[in-house]
Amino acid sequence: MGILMILFTFLGGITLSAQSAINGTFSRKAGTIETTLLTFLTGTMFLAIFILFFGNGNVFAILEVPKWQLSAVFLGVLFLLFIIAAVPKIGVIATNITVIIGQLVIGIVIDNFGWFNSLVIPLDMKRYFALLFMIIALYFIYRGNKRASEETTA
Amino acid sequence: MRYISYILALLAGAALSFEGAIYGELGKTIGKLETSFYNFFVGSIILGLLWLFFGKGKLSYAVEAPKWTLLGGVLGVVYLTSIVISVPFVGVGITMVAVIIGQLAMSMIVEHYGWLGSKKSRINKEKILAIISMVIALVLVY
């Protein structure tokens, strides 16, 4: 069961990359805001059907939860807007690697301080090294991308 | 000007982490699928407003565009659902590692062949080194 789940999540990662590539293509003709709007609209439609069949939570409890928990939607919007803006300029792989690095760095910070009721996991030696390798990765992807675009224009 | 795009992508990742932490809390109250529905639904409203005031593109292109370019929304839902289903079975750590490796492998292939309308950009030594460094960083984090 476990290995099947891992494969399934692996597929999830694949769809995320495919999404950024497809959205980047669509945005060249339709525009950044328009592409993001369309992604959110179609996503809403699919989830509405999904919830009708498989939802076992309570959407209406939304009115009772603390408001800060609802503020994350602005972050969700920014996330997609920024990705759609970046892909046509720097490409799929540089965007994805850079997003992951931003995600991991903030993840490590949130863990360290235990913000938002999360588990406290202190920033130890291993995680310092992880940060170092992310910076190295960022450097390589920048260099690699620059070289690739020089080769295609040359 | 290129580096601005890198900063945007970094900020997008940072936003995703904050979002994940906050929605984790919301999910406990209203349910996981319901949380992503909330995100997509209210996000549509926010973007509808943004589009009305600042949209300079052409939304009607959706009608004439090749249909596969409209799949972005569904793919986002597949991604989210796969995470929601997998976390209880294998834990957050392994889930994130599997997602990220899938994401990296796929981006490299997509771009190498110029699939899905992306700009073709060959795999080179630096890109492979970047991915190796990412995998090392992932192992160190979890």
Tab-separated table of all heavy atoms in Angstrom, chain B residues 57-85:
chain	number	residue	atom	x	y	z
B	57	GLY	N	-5.372	41.117	-20.553
B	57	GLY	CA	-5.256	40.036	-21.540
B	57	GLY	C	-6.581	39.759	-22.213
B	57	GLY	O	-7.450	40.624	-22.298
B	58	LYS	N	-6.716	38.528	-22.641
B	58	LYS	CA	-7.883	38.174	-23.423
B	58	LYS	C	-8.445	36.867	-22.903
B	58	LYS	O	-7.999	35.793	-23.281
B	58	LYS	CB	-7.440	38.024	-24.880
B	58	LYS	CG	-8.556	38.041	-25.876
B	58	LYS	CD	-7.960	38.149	-27.275
B	58	LYS	CE	-8.892	37.540	-28.282
B	58	LYS	NZ	-8.238	36.571	-29.160
B	59	LEU	N	-9.421	36.962	-21.994
B	59	LEU	CA	-9.989	35.763	-21.381
B	59	LEU	C	-10.733	34.918	-22.410
B	59	LEU	O	-10.764	33.701	-22.329
B	59	LEU	CB	-10.937	36.164	-20.238
B	59	LEU	CG	-11.409	35.041	-19.336
B	59	LEU	CD1	-10.238	34.370	-18.641
B	59	LEU	CD2	-12.393	35.558	-18.297
B	60	SER	N	-11.296	35.588	-23.418
B	60	SER	CA	-12.088	34.879	-24.420
B	60	SER	C	-11.224	33.943	-25.260
B	60	SER	O	-11.731	33.098	-25.987
B	60	SER	CB	-12.794	35.883	-25.339
B	60	SER	OG	-11.833	36.685	-25.984
B	61	TYR	N	-9.896	34.076	-25.117
B	61	TYR	CA	-9.000	33.161	-25.818
B	61	TYR	C	-9.272	31.715	-25.396
B	61	TYR	O	-8.994	30.779	-26.143
B	61	TYR	CB	-7.543	33.543	-25.544
B	61	TYR	CG	-6.536	32.595	-26.142
B	61	TYR	CD1	-6.418	32.476	-27.525
B	61	TYR	CD2	-5.721	31.819	-25.336
B	61	TYR	CE1	-5.511	31.600	-28.075
B	61	TYR	CE2	-4.804	30.939	-25.884
B	61	TYR	CZ	-4.700	30.839	-27.255
B	61	TYR	OH	-3.805	29.963	-27.802
B	62	ALA	N	-9.874	31.566	-24.193
B	62	ALA	CA	-10.195	30.224	-23.683
B	62	ALA	C	-11.077	29.456	-24.665
B	62	ALA	O	-10.999	28.232	-24.756
B	62	ALA	CB	-10.878	30.319	-22.329
B	63	VAL	N	-11.897	30.167	-25.431
B	63	VAL	CA	-12.823	29.505	-26.347
B	63	VAL	C	-12.102	28.953	-27.578
B	63	VAL	O	-12.409	27.864	-28.058
B	63	VAL	CB	-13.940	30.486	-26.786
B	63	VAL	CG1	-14.964	29.777	-27.652
B	63	VAL	CG2	-14.599	31.100	-25.568
B	64	GLU	N	-11.100	29.699	-28.042
B	64	GLU	CA	-10.429	29.284	-29.284
B	64	GLU	C	-9.147	28.492	-29.034
B	64	GLU	O	-8.646	27.834	-29.939
B	64	GLU	CB	-10.118	30.520	-30.142
B	64	GLU	CG	-9.879	31.745	-29.296
B	64	GLU	CD	-9.615	33.017	-30.070
B	64	GLU	OE1	-8.614	33.016	-30.803
B	64	GLU	OE2	-10.365	33.985	-29.897
B	65	ALA	N	-8.627	28.552	-27.810
B	65	ALA	CA	-7.357	27.881	-27.511
B	65	ALA	C	-7.515	26.373	-27.651
B	65	ALA	O	-8.611	25.855	-27.487
B	65	ALA	CB	-6.923	28.222	-26.095
B	66	PRO	N	-6.387	25.674	-27.956
B	66	PRO	CA	-6.447	24.212	-27.957
B	66	PRO	C	-6.928	23.743	-26.577
B	66	PRO	O	-6.504	24.292	-25.571
B	66	PRO	CB	-4.993	23.780	-28.181
B	66	PRO	CG	-4.265	24.989	-28.638
B	66	PRO	CD	-5.053	26.188	-28.237
B	67	LYS	N	-7.803	22.738	-26.567
B	67	LYS	CA	-8.445	22.361	-25.301
B	67	LYS	C	-7.462	21.937	-24.217
B	67	LYS	O	-7.698	22.137	-23.040
B	67	LYS	CB	-9.465	21.244	-25.530
B	67	LYS	CG	-10.639	21.674	-26.408
B	67	LYS	CD	-11.352	22.887	-25.816
B	67	LYS	CE	-12.337	23.476	-26.822
B	67	LYS	NZ	-12.562	24.913	-26.636
B	68	TRP	N	-6.329	21.314	-24.606
B	68	TRP	CA	-5.407	20.835	-23.573
B	68	TRP	C	-4.807	21.982	-22.764
B	68	TRP	O	-4.376	21.793	-21.639
B	68	TRP	CB	-4.311	19.932	-24.150
B	68	TRP	CG	-3.426	20.605	-25.177
B	68	TRP	CD1	-3.603	20.601	-26.517
B	68	TRP	CD2	-2.249	21.361	-24.927
B	68	TRP	NE1	-2.602	21.312	-27.128
B	68	TRP	CE2	-1.760	21.797	-26.170
B	68	TRP	CE3	-1.548	21.728	-23.768
B	68	TRP	CZ2	-0.613	22.574	-26.298
B	68	TRP	CZ3	-0.407	22.502	-23.893
B	68	TRP	CH2	0.058	22.918	-25.153
B	69	THR	N	-4.795	23.198	-23.327
B	69	THR	CA	-4.233	24.308	-22.554
B	69	THR	C	-5.188	24.758	-21.461
B	69	THR	O	-4.860	25.623	-20.665
B	69	THR	CB	-3.880	25.523	-23.448
B	69	THR	OG1	-5.073	25.991	-24.082
B	69	THR	CG2	-2.872	25.174	-24.510
B	70	LEU	N	-6.378	24.178	-21.397
B	70	LEU	CA	-7.346	24.562	-20.357
B	70	LEU	C	-7.287	23.625	-19.153
B	70	LEU	O	-8.068	23.748	-18.221
B	70	LEU	CB	-8.763	24.542	-20.933
B	70	LEU	CG	-8.986	25.390	-22.180
B	70	LEU	CD1	-10.418	25.245	-22.672
B	70	LEU	CD2	-8.675	26.852	-21.904
B	71	LEU	N	-6.342	22.687	-19.171
B	71	LEU	CA	-6.346	21.645	-18.144
B	71	LEU	C	-5.681	22.056	-16.824
B	71	LEU	O	-5.670	21.281	-15.867
B	71	LEU	CB	-5.668	20.371	-18.675
B	71	LEU	CG	-6.469	19.654	-19.768
B	71	LEU	CD1	-5.669	18.485	-20.323
B	71	LEU	CD2	-7.793	19.164	-19.203
B	72	GLY	N	-5.125	23.267	-16.760
B	72	GLY	CA	-4.408	23.707	-15.560
B	72	GLY	C	-5.180	23.509	-14.257
B	72	GLY	O	-4.645	23.022	-13.273
B	73	GLY	N	-6.447	23.880	-14.239
B	73	GLY	CA	-7.251	23.779	-13.025
B	73	GLY	C	-7.418	22.344	-12.543
B	73	GLY	O	-7.218	22.054	-11.362
B	74	VAL	N	-7.727	21.434	-13.456
B	74	VAL	CA	-7.901	20.022	-13.086
B	74	VAL	C	-6.618	19.462	-12.526
B	74	VAL	O	-6.625	18.721	-11.526
B	74	VAL	CB	-8.237	19.152	-14.318
B	74	VAL	CG1	-8.860	17.863	-13.870
B	74	VAL	CG2	-9.089	19.902	-15.290
B	75	LEU	N	-5.498	19.777	-13.186
B	75	LEU	CA	-4.222	19.224	-12.743
B	75	LEU	C	-3.911	19.687	-11.327
B	75	LEU	O	-3.408	18.927	-10.515
B	75	LEU	CB	-3.109	19.641	-13.706
B	75	LEU	CG	-3.219	19.010	-15.080
B	75	LEU	CD1	-2.187	19.590	-16.021
B	75	LEU	CD2	-3.052	17.507	-14.981
B	76	GLY	N	-4.244	20.950	-11.018
B	76	GLY	CA	-4.044	21.452	-9.669
B	76	GLY	C	-4.834	20.635	-8.663
B	76	GLY	O	-4.350	20.332	-7.575
B	77	VAL	N	-6.037	20.245	-9.040
B	77	VAL	CA	-6.886	19.463	-8.139
B	77	VAL	C	-6.316	18.054	-7.959
B	77	VAL	O	-6.281	17.525	-6.845
B	77	VAL	CB	-8.340	19.418	-8.662
B	77	VAL	CG1	-9.183	18.483	-7.813
B	77	VAL	CG2	-8.942	20.814	-8.649
B	78	VAL	N	-5.817	17.449	-9.052
B	78	VAL	CA	-5.201	16.118	-8.950
B	78	VAL	C	-4.031	16.171	-7.965
B	78	VAL	O	-3.904	15.330	-7.066
B	78	VAL	CB	-4.685	15.627	-10.321
B	78	VAL	CG1	-3.878	14.346	-10.159
B	78	VAL	CG2	-5.843	15.417	-11.275
B	79	TYR	N	-3.201	17.204	-8.122
B	79	TYR	CA	-2.040	17.375	-7.257
B	79	TYR	C	-2.452	17.416	-5.794
B	79	TYR	O	-1.958	16.672	-4.954
B	79	TYR	CB	-1.321	18.662	-7.660
B	79	TYR	CG	-0.407	19.235	-6.620
B	79	TYR	CD1	0.806	18.625	-6.336
B	79	TYR	CD2	-0.749	20.380	-5.923
B	79	TYR	CE1	1.649	19.143	-5.377
B	79	TYR	CE2	0.084	20.908	-4.971
B	79	TYR	CZ	1.287	20.292	-4.695
B	79	TYR	OH	2.109	20.810	-3.745
B	80	LEU	N	-3.396	18.279	-5.509
B	80	LEU	CA	-3.839	18.475	-4.138
B	80	LEU	C	-4.445	17.206	-3.553
B	80	LEU	O	-4.149	16.805	-2.422
B	80	LEU	CB	-4.886	19.576	-4.148
B	80	LEU	CG	-4.839	20.411	-2.909
B	80	LEU	CD1	-4.204	21.735	-3.238
B	80	LEU	CD2	-6.213	20.603	-2.379
B	81	THR	N	-5.284	16.557	-4.360
B	81	THR	CA	-5.958	15.359	-3.881
B	81	THR	C	-4.956	14.245	-3.607
B	81	THR	O	-5.068	13.535	-2.604
B	81	THR	CB	-6.988	14.898	-4.923
B	81	THR	OG1	-7.748	16.038	-5.319
B	81	THR	CG2	-7.920	13.869	-4.346
B	82	SER	N	-3.950	14.119	-4.479
B	82	SER	CA	-2.970	13.047	-4.269
B	82	SER	C	-2.251	13.263	-2.942
B	82	SER	O	-1.967	12.305	-2.215
B	82	SER	CB	-1.976	12.982	-5.431
B	82	SER	OG	-1.099	14.074	-5.398
B	83	ILE	N	-1.981	14.519	-2.589
B	83	ILE	CA	-1.308	14.792	-1.315
B	83	ILE	C	-2.227	14.463	-0.150
B	83	ILE	O	-1.837	13.790	0.806
B	83	ILE	CB	-0.865	16.261	-1.256
B	83	ILE	CG1	0.284	16.465	-2.223
B	83	ILE	CG2	-0.435	16.627	0.155
B	83	ILE	CD1	0.854	17.837	-2.180
B	84	VAL	N	-3.479	14.928	-0.239
B	84	VAL	CA	-4.438	14.711	0.844
B	84	VAL	C	-4.606	13.223	1.131
B	84	VAL	O	-4.669	12.780	2.261
B	84	VAL	CB	-5.799	15.341	0.468
B	84	VAL	CG1	-6.874	14.910	1.451
B	84	VAL	CG2	-5.693	16.847	0.438
B	85	ILE	N	-4.649	12.416	0.055
B	85	ILE	CA	-4.868	10.986	0.236
B	85	ILE	C	-3.617	10.297	0.780
B	85	ILE	O	-3.696	9.408	1.624
B	85	ILE	CB	-5.313	10.348	-1.103
B	85	ILE	CG1	-6.684	10.906	-1.478
B	85	ILE	CG2	-5.367	8.832	-0.993
B	85	ILE	CD1	-7.198	10.421	-2.809
